[in-house]
Amino acid sequence: MPVITAPHAFNEGSLFVDLESIFGYRLYLKCEGFNFAGSIKLKAANEMVESAERDGTLTPDSILVESSSGNLGVALSMIAASKGHRFLCVTDPRCNLSTKLLMEALGGHVHVVTDQDSNGGFLGTRLEYVRSLCASDDRYVWLSQYTNAGNWRAHYRTTAPEIAAQFPQLDVLFVGTGTAGTLMGCARYFREWHRPVRIVAVDSMGSVAFGGKPGRRMIPGLGMSMRPPLLDESYVDEVIQVEEADTIRTCHRLARRGYLFGGSTGTVVSAATDWLARQDARGLTAVAIAPDLGERYLDTVYQTNWLQDLYGDRLLDAAGPAATVWDEEPAPRTRQARRRRT
């Protein structure tokens, strides 16, 4: 059992779930939510903060500021609290309430922008607000997860080697794309590896990260309303875009087997199972990366009224067997009550 003195010192990197019994395909899911920040973003946050401290950009008088839809903001709030830094997260209305409360509980401050940018998202507005803060006061230090090489280096040094150690015969890797930090770190690592690995990038429908048409996106995490500056498509073999309805169905299907994952994980698993269904996947070793767990999505992805208001009453009809329903007095027996590829 490890004994730590700082919350960012613990991060479980070797846990994988075999999803074959749920989806019928041999797919291993790398679970990145088992740390004190609750997501894969802890790795990038720690790398970027420590780099800024080493080069003198981040000092005791600094105020960390970052644009985030949620998970990176939580990770930076936690690290800032541990190290004695001040932190401000600039987010938007899609950020889950529980995520905002987590950041504030950790001592972070949260500013929510409400105006959409030209692509119908909020990222452009968030970045404009961050730039204005930095121009107004030189105490603000913007790590800029969108352009910071520490974002992808964190996964080159940790996430990819963790996968390689467990699966030395890896054939295909499915990685969700937001800032493209996880994608590029893993893709660069496996480009140099001892065997070819097919890199499949997963994006949300409505994201313009890979040149798609902008559209409504209600689930934070994956997708961008601009092209990610870190993205180099020469490292990517294939891109799959996933409708949010399919994301939600996949999340609920996993939850009905006891695995409560976040929206980004639902998107990646949906894409991976679709890809495997279209291939002769026998003998292939396939891994997908699960960025976080599902507790922060209880008031959205797992909340009936939210789902019905946005997606209609029949959204979950194709999600698999219904959840077990109990009578008022529980008895010994129970009764059971389109993706596009670019």
Side-chain angles (χ1 to χ4, degrees), residues 73-74 77-78 81 87 89 91 97-112:
V74 172
S77 294
M78 187 191 77
F87 173 62
C89 180
T91 189
L97 175 60
S98 59
T99 300
K100 296 175 191 174
L101 295 175
L102 269 171
M103 288 188 276
E104 291 171 347
L106 290 163
H109 294 272
V110 181
H111 176 82
V112 181

Side-chain angles (χ1 to χ4, degrees), residues 88-252:
L88 170 64
C89 180
V90 180
T91 189
D92 60 65
R94 295 178 306 175
C95 180
N96 299 324
L97 175 60
S98 59
T99 300
K100 296 175 191 174
L101 295 175
L102 269 171
M103 288 188 276
E104 291 171 347
L106 290 163
H109 294 272
V110 181
H111 176 82
V112 181
V113 303
T114 56
D115 295 330
Q116 292 182 318
D117 57 31
S118 58
N119 283 323
F122 295 95
L123 180 57
T125 310
R126 282 166 25 194
L127 297 183
E128 182 180 347
Y129 186 83
V130 172
R131 292 188 184 103
S132 69
L133 281 179
C134 293
S136 69
D137 190 332
D138 59 11
R139 291 178 301 169
Y140 283 105
V141 173
W142 181 22
L143 297 175
S144 184
Q145 61 167 323
Y146 311 100
T147 59
N148 194 320
N151 189 347
W152 68 261
R153 278 201 305 265
H155 303 288
Y156 181 91
R157 294 173 178 173
T158 61
T159 308
E162 288 163 359
I163 295 170
Q166 187 70 30
F167 299 98
Q169 299 302 311
L170 180 67
D171 294 298
V172 56
L173 179 65
F174 300 92
V175 190
T177 308
T179 63
T182 307
L183 174 66
M184 296 313 302
C186 291
R188 284 188 167 97
Y189 180 91
F190 284 112
R191 177 67 63 87
E192 302 166 359
W193 208 36
H194 70 93
R195 60 181 275 120
V197 174
R198 187 166 187 82
I199 302 296
V200 180
V202 180
D203 196 14
S204 300
M205 194 70 75
S207 164
V208 304
F210 292 92
K213 183 179 179 181
R216 184 186 76 166
R217 292 181 293 115
M218 299 304 298
I219 302 173
L222 300 188
M224 292 272 278
S225 56
M226 69 177 191
R227 180 179 174 83
L230 294 177
L231 178 62
D232 182 345
E233 289 190 58
S234 69
Y235 287 90
V236 177
D237 297 298
E238 189 172 347
V239 178
I240 300 177
Q241 286 191 304
V242 177
E243 295 276 7
E244 285 192 335
D246 289 332
T247 291
I248 293 164
R249 292 187 189 105
T250 302
C251 285
H252 280 256

Side-chain angles (χ1 to χ4, degrees), residues 8 37 39-53 58 64 66 71-80 83 143 145 148 150-151 154-155:
H8 48 279
S39 82
I40 196 171
K41 289 292 188 177
L42 176 61
K43 292 175 173 178
N46 193 44
E47 179 80 19
M48 292 188 295
V49 167
E50 292 195 344
S51 177
E53 288 176 331
L58 184 59
L64 275 171
E66 186 58 80
N71 282 336
L72 183 73
V74 172
L76 287 173
S77 294
M78 187 191 77
I79 292 171
K83 291 175 173 283
L143 297 175
Q145 61 167 323
N148 194 320
N151 189 347
H155 303 288

